[in-house]
Amino acid sequence: MPNDPVPSLLSRATELLEAEFAALPPFQSVQDPAAMAQVLEETAHRLGDNYPYFHPLYAGQMLKPPHPLARAAYALAMNLNPNNHARDGGRASSEMEIEAVREIAGIFGWTEYLGHLTSSGTLANLEALWVAGQLAPGKRIVGSEQAHYTHRRISAVLKIDYAEISADNRGRMNIEALETELRNGDVGTVVVTLGTTATGSVDPLDQILKLSKRHGFRVHVDGAYGGYFRLISESLDEPARQAYAAAGEADSIVIDPHKHGLQPYGCGCVLFRDPAVGRFYKHDSPYTYFTSKQLHLGEISLECSRAGASAVALWATQKLLPLKPGGTFARGLAQGRAAALELDRRLRDDARFQPLAAGAPELDIVVWKLAARTSEQSSDLAQKTFAACAARDLHLALVQLPVTWFQPVGSGVNGSEAGLVTCLRSVLMKPEHEEWLDRIWERWIAACAEVLEM
Ligand SMILES: *Cc1c(COP(=O)(O)O)cnc(C)c1O
Protein backbone atom coordinates (compact mmCIF):
# COMPACT_ATOMS: atom_id res chain seq x y z
CA MET A 1 0.00 0.00 0.00
CA PRO A 2 1.54 3.32 -1.04
CA ASN A 3 3.88 4.97 1.49
CA ASP A 4 2.46 2.99 4.39
CA PRO A 5 3.89 4.58 7.57
CA VAL A 6 3.10 1.54 9.73
CA PRO A 7 6.36 -0.47 9.39
CA SER A 8 8.62 2.41 10.43
CA LEU A 9 6.25 3.66 13.16
CA LEU A 10 6.13 0.17 14.49
CA SER A 11 9.83 -0.57 14.52
CA ARG A 12 10.63 2.49 16.66
CA ALA A 13 7.74 1.85 19.06
CA THR A 14 8.62 -1.84 19.39
CA GLU A 15 12.12 -0.87 20.52
CA LEU A 16 10.61 1.37 23.18
CA LEU A 17 8.23 -1.34 24.32
CA GLU A 18 11.09 -3.82 24.55
CA ALA A 19 13.00 -1.33 26.70
CA GLU A 20 10.07 -1.35 29.16
CA PHE A 21 10.82 -5.01 29.84
CA ALA A 22 14.61 -4.79 29.56
CA ALA A 23 15.17 -5.93 33.14
CA LEU A 24 13.96 -9.45 32.36
CA PRO A 25 16.51 -12.15 31.49
CA PRO A 26 16.50 -12.81 27.75
CA PHE A 27 14.98 -16.02 26.41
CA GLN A 28 14.72 -17.74 23.05
CA SER A 29 11.41 -18.82 21.60
CA VAL A 30 11.32 -21.55 19.00
CA GLN A 31 10.90 -20.06 15.53
CA ASP A 32 11.71 -20.88 11.95
CA PRO A 33 11.86 -17.53 10.14
CA ALA A 34 12.42 -19.07 6.68
CA ALA A 35 9.37 -21.28 6.95
CA MET A 36 7.31 -18.40 8.30
CA ALA A 37 8.38 -16.14 5.46
CA GLN A 38 7.30 -18.75 2.95
CA VAL A 39 3.87 -19.17 4.49
CA LEU A 40 3.47 -15.41 4.75
CA GLU A 41 4.17 -15.05 1.03
CA GLU A 42 1.46 -17.54 0.29
CA THR A 43 -0.79 -15.61 2.69
CA ALA A 44 -0.17 -12.41 0.72
CA HIS A 45 -1.25 -14.15 -2.48
CA ARG A 46 -4.37 -15.49 -0.84
CA LEU A 47 -5.28 -12.02 0.45
CA GLY A 48 -5.10 -10.68 -3.09
CA ASP A 49 -8.48 -12.31 -3.63
CA ASN A 50 -10.29 -9.37 -2.05
CA TYR A 51 -11.87 -6.15 -3.13
CA PRO A 52 -9.40 -3.27 -2.52
CA TYR A 53 -11.17 -1.98 0.58
CA PHE A 54 -8.37 0.46 1.38
CA HIS A 55 -8.65 2.32 -1.94
CA PRO A 56 -10.95 5.30 -2.58
CA LEU A 57 -12.33 3.48 -5.66
CA TYR A 58 -13.78 0.99 -3.25
CA ALA A 59 -17.06 2.80 -2.60
CA GLY A 60 -19.40 -0.12 -2.03
CA GLN A 61 -20.15 -1.66 1.33
CA MET A 62 -19.67 -0.17 4.78
CA LEU A 63 -15.92 -0.77 4.94
CA LYS A 64 -13.60 1.92 6.19
CA PRO A 65 -9.89 1.21 6.44
CA PRO A 66 -8.42 1.44 9.93
CA HIS A 67 -6.21 4.43 10.53
CA PRO A 68 -2.49 3.58 10.08
CA LEU A 69 -1.96 4.57 13.70
CA ALA A 70 -4.67 2.12 14.77
CA ARG A 71 -2.94 -0.65 12.81
CA ALA A 72 0.44 0.24 14.31
CA ALA A 73 -0.90 0.44 17.87
CA TYR A 74 -2.79 -2.82 17.43
CA ALA A 75 0.33 -4.57 16.13
CA LEU A 76 2.41 -3.06 18.93
CA ALA A 77 -0.02 -4.41 21.52
CA MET A 78 0.30 -7.83 19.88
CA ASN A 79 3.74 -8.11 21.50
CA LEU A 80 1.80 -8.57 24.72
CA ASN A 81 -1.60 -9.73 23.44
CA PRO A 82 -3.47 -8.35 26.45
CA ASN A 83 -6.91 -9.65 27.38
CA ASN A 84 -9.34 -6.97 28.53
CA HIS A 85 -11.51 -9.41 30.34
CA ALA A 86 -9.70 -8.53 33.54
CA ARG A 87 -6.99 -6.27 34.85
CA ASP A 88 -4.64 -9.21 35.33
CA GLY A 89 -4.94 -9.98 31.64
CA GLY A 90 -4.57 -6.43 30.50
CA ARG A 91 -3.77 -3.88 33.13
CA ALA A 92 -2.66 -1.03 30.87
CA SER A 93 -5.09 -1.83 28.09
CA SER A 94 -8.04 -1.95 30.53
CA GLU A 95 -7.18 1.57 31.65
CA MET A 96 -6.88 2.61 28.03
CA GLU A 97 -10.28 1.09 27.31
CA ILE A 98 -11.86 2.99 30.19
CA GLU A 99 -10.33 6.26 28.92
CA ALA A 100 -11.29 5.62 25.30
CA VAL A 101 -14.87 4.70 26.21
CA ARG A 102 -15.13 7.83 28.35
CA GLU A 103 -14.34 9.90 25.29
CA ILE A 104 -16.96 8.07 23.22
CA ALA A 105 -19.55 8.63 25.95
CA GLY A 106 -18.56 12.29 25.82
CA ILE A 107 -19.86 12.48 22.24
CA PHE A 108 -23.31 12.11 23.76
CA GLY A 109 -22.63 14.36 26.72
CA TRP A 110 -22.52 11.44 29.17
CA THR A 111 -20.17 11.66 32.13
CA GLU A 112 -21.86 9.13 34.47
CA TYR A 113 -22.65 5.95 32.59
CA LEU A 114 -21.71 2.30 32.30
CA GLY A 115 -19.90 1.28 29.14
CA HIS A 116 -17.23 -0.86 27.60
CA LEU A 117 -15.95 -2.17 24.31
CA THR A 118 -17.27 -5.35 22.74
CA SER A 119 -16.16 -7.58 19.88
CA SER A 120 -18.81 -6.11 17.59
CA GLY A 121 -21.94 -4.05 17.23
CA THR A 122 -24.00 -7.21 17.35
CA LEU A 123 -22.57 -8.16 20.73
CA ALA A 124 -23.04 -4.59 21.94
CA ASN A 125 -26.70 -4.63 20.83
CA LEU A 126 -27.12 -8.04 22.46
CA GLU A 127 -25.95 -6.60 25.79
CA ALA A 128 -28.20 -3.57 25.49
CA LEU A 129 -31.26 -5.68 24.68
CA TRP A 130 -30.37 -8.24 27.34
CA VAL A 131 -30.42 -5.46 29.94
CA ALA A 132 -33.55 -3.94 28.39
CA GLY A 133 -35.33 -7.30 28.57
CA GLN A 134 -34.57 -7.67 32.28
CA LEU A 135 -35.88 -4.19 32.97
CA ALA A 136 -39.14 -4.89 31.16
CA PRO A 137 -39.88 -8.59 31.63
CA GLY A 138 -42.61 -10.00 29.38
CA LYS A 139 -42.67 -6.95 27.15
CA ARG A 140 -41.75 -6.78 23.48
CA ILE A 141 -38.93 -5.12 21.57
CA VAL A 142 -39.76 -3.24 18.37
CA GLY A 143 -37.54 -1.75 15.68
CA SER A 144 -38.12 -0.42 12.21
CA GLU A 145 -38.19 -2.78 9.24
CA GLN A 146 -34.92 -1.08 8.22
CA ALA A 147 -33.27 -1.79 11.59
CA HIS A 148 -30.29 -4.14 11.44
CA TYR A 149 -31.40 -7.72 10.85
CA THR A 150 -29.58 -8.90 13.98
CA HIS A 151 -32.11 -7.25 16.33
CA ARG A 152 -34.71 -9.88 15.46
CA ARG A 153 -32.14 -12.63 15.87
CA ILE A 154 -30.83 -11.21 19.17
CA SER A 155 -34.41 -10.99 20.47
CA ALA A 156 -34.95 -14.64 19.52
CA VAL A 157 -31.78 -15.61 21.40
CA LEU A 158 -33.04 -13.67 24.41
CA LYS A 159 -36.52 -15.21 23.97
CA ILE A 160 -38.12 -11.77 23.75
CA ASP A 161 -40.89 -11.12 21.20
CA TYR A 162 -39.78 -8.74 18.46
CA ALA A 163 -41.94 -6.80 15.99
CA GLU A 164 -41.13 -4.64 13.00
CA ILE A 165 -42.46 -1.13 12.56
CA SER A 166 -42.89 -0.01 8.97
CA ALA A 167 -40.51 2.54 7.51
CA ASP A 168 -41.37 5.62 5.46
CA ASN A 169 -40.19 6.18 1.88
CA ARG A 170 -36.90 7.40 3.25
CA GLY A 171 -36.17 4.32 5.34
CA ARG A 172 -37.01 5.99 8.68
CA MET A 173 -39.26 4.48 11.34
CA ASN A 174 -42.83 5.51 10.67
CA ILE A 175 -43.95 7.30 13.81
CA GLU A 176 -47.69 6.68 13.25
CA ALA A 177 -47.02 2.96 12.82
CA LEU A 178 -45.07 3.02 16.08
CA GLU A 179 -47.94 4.76 17.87
CA THR A 180 -50.33 2.09 16.63
CA GLU A 181 -48.04 -0.61 17.98
CA LEU A 182 -47.72 1.19 21.30
CA ARG A 183 -51.48 1.05 21.83
CA ASN A 184 -51.12 -2.65 22.68
CA GLY A 185 -49.36 -1.51 25.86
CA ASP A 186 -46.79 -4.31 25.71
CA VAL A 187 -43.77 -2.58 24.14
CA GLY A 188 -40.86 -2.58 26.57
CA THR A 189 -38.10 -1.27 24.29
CA VAL A 190 -37.89 0.61 21.02
CA VAL A 191 -34.72 0.19 18.96
CA VAL A 192 -34.01 3.50 17.25
CA THR A 193 -31.48 3.40 14.43
CA LEU A 194 -29.35 6.50 13.93
CA GLY A 195 -28.05 5.60 10.50
CA THR A 196 -29.59 2.48 8.97
CA THR A 197 -27.20 0.07 7.35
CA ALA A 198 -28.87 0.07 3.94
CA THR A 199 -29.51 3.77 3.35
CA GLY A 200 -28.04 5.72 6.27
CA SER A 201 -31.51 6.81 7.33
CA VAL A 202 -32.07 8.41 10.71
CA ASP A 203 -35.09 7.37 12.80
CA PRO A 204 -36.93 10.30 14.45
CA LEU A 205 -35.36 9.79 17.88
CA ASP A 206 -36.58 13.12 19.27
CA GLN A 207 -40.20 12.21 18.51
CA ILE A 208 -39.77 8.67 19.79
CA LEU A 209 -38.36 9.99 23.07
CA LYS A 210 -41.49 12.12 23.47
CA LEU A 211 -43.62 9.02 23.01
CA SER A 212 -41.51 7.17 25.56
CA LYS A 213 -42.36 9.78 28.19
CA ARG A 214 -46.03 9.05 27.57
CA HIS A 215 -45.82 5.26 27.16
CA GLY A 216 -42.89 4.43 29.42
CA PHE A 217 -40.79 2.27 27.12
CA ARG A 218 -37.00 2.07 27.00
CA VAL A 219 -35.13 3.66 24.12
CA HIS A 220 -32.11 1.87 22.72
CA VAL A 221 -30.14 3.73 20.05
CA ASP A 222 -28.37 1.60 17.47
CA GLY A 223 -25.67 3.91 16.21
CA ALA A 224 -23.33 1.07 15.23
CA TYR A 225 -22.77 2.74 11.89
CA GLY A 226 -24.09 6.28 12.38
CA GLY A 227 -23.32 7.13 16.02
CA TYR A 228 -20.25 9.21 15.25
CA PHE A 229 -22.31 11.63 13.13
CA ARG A 230 -23.35 13.21 16.39
CA LEU A 231 -20.02 15.04 16.07
CA ILE A 232 -21.24 16.83 12.95
CA SER A 233 -24.95 16.80 13.73
CA GLU A 234 -25.12 20.60 13.51
CA SER A 235 -24.36 20.34 9.80
CA LEU A 236 -26.97 17.65 9.08
CA ASP A 237 -30.30 18.47 7.49
CA GLU A 238 -33.53 18.40 9.46
CA PRO A 239 -34.96 16.12 10.77
CA ALA A 240 -31.73 14.15 11.25
CA ARG A 241 -30.15 17.06 13.11
CA GLN A 242 -32.87 16.98 15.77
CA ALA A 243 -32.71 13.21 16.08
CA TYR A 244 -28.98 13.39 16.82
CA ALA A 245 -29.41 16.32 19.17
CA ALA A 246 -31.63 14.12 21.34
CA ALA A 247 -29.23 11.14 21.45
CA GLY A 248 -28.05 11.84 24.99
CA GLU A 249 -31.56 11.16 26.31
CA ALA A 250 -31.56 7.53 25.16
CA ASP A 251 -31.25 4.74 27.74
CA SER A 252 -28.52 2.90 25.89
CA ILE A 253 -26.37 3.52 22.83
CA VAL A 254 -24.32 1.24 20.61
CA ILE A 255 -21.57 2.65 18.43
CA ASP A 256 -19.00 0.69 16.43
CA PRO A 257 -15.45 2.05 16.37
CA HIS A 258 -14.78 -0.60 13.72
CA LYS A 259 -17.39 0.94 11.41
CA HIS A 260 -16.78 4.70 11.33
CA GLY A 261 -14.16 4.99 14.08
CA LEU A 262 -11.10 4.00 11.99
CA GLN A 263 -10.54 0.75 13.92
CA PRO A 264 -9.69 -2.82 12.91
CA TYR A 265 -12.55 -5.29 13.25
CA GLY A 266 -13.31 -6.51 16.71
CA CYS A 267 -14.31 -3.17 18.20
CA GLY A 268 -17.88 -2.31 19.16
CA CYS A 269 -19.06 -0.28 22.14
CA VAL A 270 -22.13 -0.28 24.37
CA LEU A 271 -23.10 2.53 26.72
CA PHE A 272 -25.84 2.66 29.35
CA ARG A 273 -27.06 5.98 30.70
CA ASP A 274 -27.79 4.47 34.13
CA PRO A 275 -24.64 2.89 35.63
CA ALA A 276 -26.84 0.90 38.02
CA VAL A 277 -27.59 -1.63 35.26
CA GLY A 278 -24.17 -3.05 36.16
CA ARG A 279 -26.03 -5.21 38.71
CA PHE A 280 -27.29 -7.46 35.90
CA TYR A 281 -23.75 -8.46 35.03
CA LYS A 282 -22.84 -9.77 38.44
CA HIS A 283 -21.11 -13.11 38.22
CA ASP A 284 -18.97 -15.21 40.46
CA SER A 285 -16.44 -16.95 38.29
CA PRO A 286 -13.87 -19.10 40.07
CA TYR A 287 -11.45 -18.51 37.18
CA THR A 288 -11.56 -14.76 37.27
CA TYR A 289 -8.63 -13.01 38.81
CA PHE A 290 -9.30 -10.89 41.84
CA THR A 291 -6.10 -8.98 42.38
CA SER A 292 -7.84 -5.66 41.96
CA LYS A 293 -10.50 -4.06 44.11
CA GLN A 294 -11.52 -1.88 41.20
CA LEU A 295 -14.35 -3.12 39.01
CA HIS A 296 -12.77 -4.87 36.07
CA LEU A 297 -14.18 -4.91 32.59
CA GLY A 298 -15.08 -8.59 32.72
CA GLU A 299 -17.57 -7.72 35.45
CA ILE A 300 -19.54 -5.43 33.18
CA SER A 301 -19.37 -7.43 29.97
CA LEU A 302 -21.17 -10.49 28.65
CA GLU A 303 -18.06 -11.61 26.81
CA CYS A 304 -15.08 -13.05 28.63
CA SER A 305 -11.82 -12.76 26.64
CA ARG A 306 -11.58 -9.66 24.48
CA ALA A 307 -8.70 -8.19 22.50
CA GLY A 308 -6.93 -5.61 24.65
CA ALA A 309 -5.24 -4.59 21.41
CA SER A 310 -8.58 -3.18 20.21
CA ALA A 311 -8.64 -0.82 23.17
CA VAL A 312 -5.01 0.15 22.60
CA ALA A 313 -5.66 0.93 18.92
CA LEU A 314 -8.75 2.96 19.77
CA TRP A 315 -7.02 4.86 22.56
CA ALA A 316 -4.10 5.77 20.27
CA THR A 317 -6.40 6.84 17.43
CA GLN A 318 -8.40 9.09 19.72
CA LYS A 319 -5.20 10.64 21.08
CA LEU A 320 -4.26 11.62 17.55
CA LEU A 321 -7.78 12.47 16.43
CA PRO A 322 -9.86 13.55 19.45
CA LEU A 323 -13.61 13.07 19.12
CA LYS A 324 -14.40 16.78 18.98
CA PRO A 325 -16.80 18.71 16.79
CA GLY A 326 -14.67 20.64 14.32
CA GLY A 327 -11.67 18.33 14.79
CA THR A 328 -9.89 16.34 12.09
CA PHE A 329 -11.89 13.20 12.80
CA ALA A 330 -15.19 15.07 12.54
CA ARG A 331 -13.97 16.73 9.35
CA GLY A 332 -13.36 13.28 7.88
CA LEU A 333 -17.01 12.39 8.48
CA ALA A 334 -18.07 15.64 6.84
CA GLN A 335 -15.88 14.93 3.81
CA GLY A 336 -17.55 11.58 3.19
CA ARG A 337 -20.94 13.19 3.57
CA ALA A 338 -19.99 15.97 1.14
CA ALA A 339 -19.01 13.29 -1.38
CA ALA A 340 -22.36 11.55 -0.87
CA LEU A 341 -24.33 14.77 -1.37
CA GLU A 342 -22.37 15.59 -4.52
CA LEU A 343 -22.87 12.11 -5.99
CA ASP A 344 -26.58 12.33 -5.21
CA ARG A 345 -26.78 15.76 -6.85
CA ARG A 346 -25.13 14.53 -10.04
CA LEU A 347 -27.43 11.50 -10.18
CA ARG A 348 -30.47 13.79 -9.86
CA ASP A 349 -29.26 15.81 -12.82
CA ASP A 350 -29.32 12.82 -15.15
CA ALA A 351 -32.67 11.37 -16.23
CA ARG A 352 -31.18 7.89 -16.52
CA PHE A 353 -30.83 7.69 -12.74
CA GLN A 354 -33.37 7.85 -9.91
CA PRO A 355 -32.11 8.56 -6.38
CA LEU A 356 -34.51 8.47 -3.41
CA ALA A 357 -37.57 10.55 -4.28
CA ALA A 358 -37.81 11.96 -0.75
CA GLY A 359 -34.50 13.80 -0.99
CA ALA A 360 -30.76 13.86 -0.46
CA PRO A 361 -28.87 11.32 1.73
CA GLU A 362 -29.15 11.93 5.46
CA LEU A 363 -25.59 10.70 6.14
CA ASP A 364 -22.99 9.33 3.71
CA ILE A 365 -24.83 6.51 1.91
CA VAL A 366 -26.25 7.06 -1.58
CA VAL A 367 -28.77 4.69 -3.15
CA TRP A 368 -30.28 4.96 -6.61
CA LYS A 369 -32.00 2.90 -9.25
CA LEU A 370 -31.74 3.01 -12.99
CA ALA A 371 -34.69 4.39 -14.90
CA ALA A 372 -36.49 1.61 -16.78
CA ARG A 373 -40.04 0.64 -17.70
CA THR A 374 -40.26 -2.13 -15.11
CA SER A 375 -38.60 -3.00 -11.82
CA GLU A 376 -37.23 -6.14 -13.40
CA GLN A 377 -35.48 -4.20 -16.12
CA SER A 378 -34.20 -1.70 -13.59
CA SER A 379 -32.82 -4.49 -11.40
CA ASP A 380 -31.16 -6.08 -14.40
CA LEU A 381 -29.50 -2.77 -15.31
CA ALA A 382 -28.29 -2.37 -11.73
CA GLN A 383 -26.60 -5.78 -11.86
CA LYS A 384 -25.00 -4.97 -15.20
CA THR A 385 -23.73 -1.51 -14.29
CA PHE A 386 -22.44 -2.89 -10.98
CA ALA A 387 -20.35 -5.42 -12.93
CA ALA A 388 -19.25 -2.86 -15.53
CA CYS A 389 -18.03 -0.59 -12.71
CA ALA A 390 -16.11 -3.44 -11.10
CA ALA A 391 -14.41 -4.07 -14.46
CA ARG A 392 -13.23 -0.44 -14.16
CA ASP A 393 -11.95 -0.96 -10.59
CA LEU A 394 -14.88 0.99 -9.18
CA HIS A 395 -16.57 -1.08 -6.52
CA LEU A 396 -20.16 -0.20 -5.64
CA ALA A 397 -22.74 -2.32 -3.81
CA LEU A 398 -26.23 -3.56 -4.62
CA VAL A 399 -29.26 -3.31 -2.35
CA GLN A 400 -32.92 -4.32 -2.63
CA LEU A 401 -35.29 -1.52 -1.71
CA PRO A 402 -39.03 -0.83 -2.10
CA VAL A 403 -39.61 0.55 -5.60
CA THR A 404 -42.06 3.12 -4.22
CA TRP A 405 -39.15 4.95 -2.55
CA PHE A 406 -37.99 6.04 -5.99
CA GLN A 407 -41.27 7.19 -7.41
CA PRO A 408 -41.90 10.91 -7.26
CA VAL A 409 -44.33 11.71 -4.46
CA GLY A 410 -47.72 12.56 -5.95
CA SER A 411 -46.66 11.36 -9.39
CA GLY A 412 -49.60 9.00 -9.57
CA VAL A 413 -47.14 6.18 -10.14
CA ASN A 414 -47.23 5.52 -6.42
CA GLY A 415 -48.45 2.05 -5.61
CA SER A 416 -48.83 1.14 -9.27
CA GLU A 417 -45.82 -1.09 -8.82
CA ALA A 418 -45.16 -2.84 -5.54
CA GLY A 419 -42.22 -4.87 -4.38
CA LEU A 420 -38.48 -4.52 -4.33
CA VAL A 421 -36.05 -3.28 -6.92
CA THR A 422 -32.31 -3.84 -7.05
CA CYS A 423 -30.48 -0.54 -6.62
CA LEU A 424 -26.92 0.67 -6.57
CA ARG A 425 -25.58 1.65 -3.19
CA SER A 426 -22.42 3.55 -2.34
CA VAL A 427 -21.13 4.13 1.17
CA LEU A 428 -18.80 7.13 0.85
CA MET A 429 -17.23 6.81 4.27
CA LYS A 430 -13.59 7.54 3.51
CA PRO A 431 -12.45 11.16 3.81
CA GLU A 432 -10.63 10.62 0.48
CA HIS A 433 -13.93 10.02 -1.26
CA GLU A 434 -14.52 13.74 -1.52
CA GLU A 435 -11.36 14.23 -3.56
CA TRP A 436 -12.00 11.11 -5.59
CA LEU A 437 -15.60 11.85 -6.49
CA ASP A 438 -14.79 13.06 -10.02
CA ARG A 439 -12.89 9.86 -10.77
CA ILE A 440 -15.67 7.75 -9.25
CA TRP A 441 -18.21 9.63 -11.36
CA GLU A 442 -16.19 9.23 -14.59
CA ARG A 443 -16.05 5.48 -14.12
CA TRP A 444 -19.72 5.25 -13.26
CA ILE A 445 -20.68 7.22 -16.37
CA ALA A 446 -18.40 5.10 -18.57
CA ALA A 447 -19.90 1.91 -17.13
CA CYS A 448 -23.41 3.22 -17.79
CA ALA A 449 -22.52 4.19 -21.35
CA GLU A 450 -21.37 0.64 -21.98
CA VAL A 451 -24.42 -1.04 -20.39
CA LEU A 452 -27.16 1.32 -21.57
CA GLU A 453 -25.99 1.35 -25.19
CA MET A 454 -25.83 -2.42 -25.44
C1 LIG B 1 -23.14 -3.00 11.24
C2 LIG B 1 -24.37 -2.75 12.05
C3 LIG B 1 -24.71 -3.59 13.12
C4 LIG B 1 -23.94 -4.83 13.44
O1 LIG B 1 -22.66 -4.51 13.89
P1 LIG B 1 -21.43 -5.52 13.70
O2 LIG B 1 -20.30 -4.76 14.25
O3 LIG B 1 -21.33 -5.81 12.23
O4 LIG B 1 -21.75 -6.77 14.46
C5 LIG B 1 -25.82 -3.26 13.88
N1 LIG B 1 -26.56 -2.18 13.57
C6 LIG B 1 -26.27 -1.36 12.56
C7 LIG B 1 -27.13 -0.17 12.30
C8 LIG B 1 -25.17 -1.62 11.75
O5 LIG B 1 -24.89 -0.81 10.70
Side-chain angles (χ1 to χ4, degrees), residues 62 119-123 125 146-148 150-151 193-197 222-226 254 256 258-259 265 267-268:
M62 202 172 269
S119 299
S120 70
T122 304
L123 257 299
N125 278 319
Q146 289 292 315
H148 200 265
T150 47
H151 289 290
T193 309
L194 292 188
T196 61
T197 316
D222 182 358
Y225 144 71
V254 159
D256 262 7
H258 72 198
K259 282 262 179 73
Y265 284 116
C267 197

Side-chain angles (χ1 to χ4, degrees), residues 13 78 82 101 104 158 173 178-180 200 247 251 261 274 287 294 299 301 309 333 358 368-369 373 383 403:
M78 278 296 99
V101 169
I104 292 178
L158 296 171
M173 184 183 287
L178 174 61
E179 284 190 277
T180 306
D251 294 296
D274 178 9
Y287 323 109
Q294 262 178 296
E299 285 169 324
S301 168
L333 296 173
W368 69 100
K369 73 187 266 297
R373 264 187 299 115
Q383 298 275 0
V403 69

Side-chain angles (χ1 to χ4, degrees), residues 104-105 107-108 116-118 120-121 124-125 220-231 253-261 267-271 323 329:
I104 292 178
I107 301 178
F108 305 99
H116 60 90
L117 300 180
T118 61
S120 70
N125 278 319
H220 171 60
V221 165
D222 182 358
Y225 144 71
Y228 284 103
F229 281 93
R230 165 80 190 217
L231 289 170
I253 300 176
V254 159
I255 179 167
D256 262 7
H258 72 198
K259 282 262 179 73
H260 243 310
C267 197
C269 180
V270 62
L271 302 165
L323 302 176
F329 177 81

